[in-house]
Amino acid sequence: METGSPHDRRDAADMGTTEQVAEPVWTGLPPGLLRMRRLLLVVWLGLIALAAGLLPGLLVGPAWAAFALLPLALAAWGWVLLGRNWRSWRYAERADDLLISRGVLWREETVVPYGRMQLVEVTSGPVERYFGLASVQLHTAAAATDATIPGLDPAEAERLRDRLTELGEARSAGL
């Protein structure tokens, strides 16, 4: 024999579904950032390997040219680490804030409320412009919550800047 009305049973069953919070929709960084960083790694460590192998090889002896292997090993290790670091970066736009997550060993997740944003800027240095990339920098009153999203497509960076500015103005109007 059941106790309670059918209405009571339905309310108890609905309780579990209404309290579920939707997971944020994460967006990763485009592969252009990884290509740029890996190219810079190869160029700089390639030059160091050339200098580390050529100078001792010419001045001391050919056996000393083996010093060029150390920067080449660092380049191979850095290649893998850059890939892991690139995959760890992601961001999600939620109703009231922006989430930025990054880090391989130590995960860091920054929550920037739209109403606390004071300045949103898009920057792109000469190397970033060459690769067609831009970064979005978020500034808030508390320096601890300032955040950057690197390596975005310039159109996406501008869209994100405009959206964050619009949401920031709407949220701060109520303060």
Side-chain angles (χ1 to χ4, degrees), residues 45-70:
L45 286 178
L47 290 173
I48 292 172
L50 185 65
L54 192 61
L55 290 177
L58 291 175
L59 298 176
V60 181
W64 288 88
F67 276 115
L69 295 176
L70 181 61

Side-chain angles (χ1 to χ4, degrees), residues 1 8 18 39 47 55 59 61 75 84-85 135 139-140 146 166:
M1 173 191 251
D8 293 337
T18 58
L39 180 66
L47 290 173
L55 290 177
L59 298 176
R84 290 183 65 197
N85 179 270
S135 296
H139 301 280
T140 63
D146 285 359
E166 179 183 316

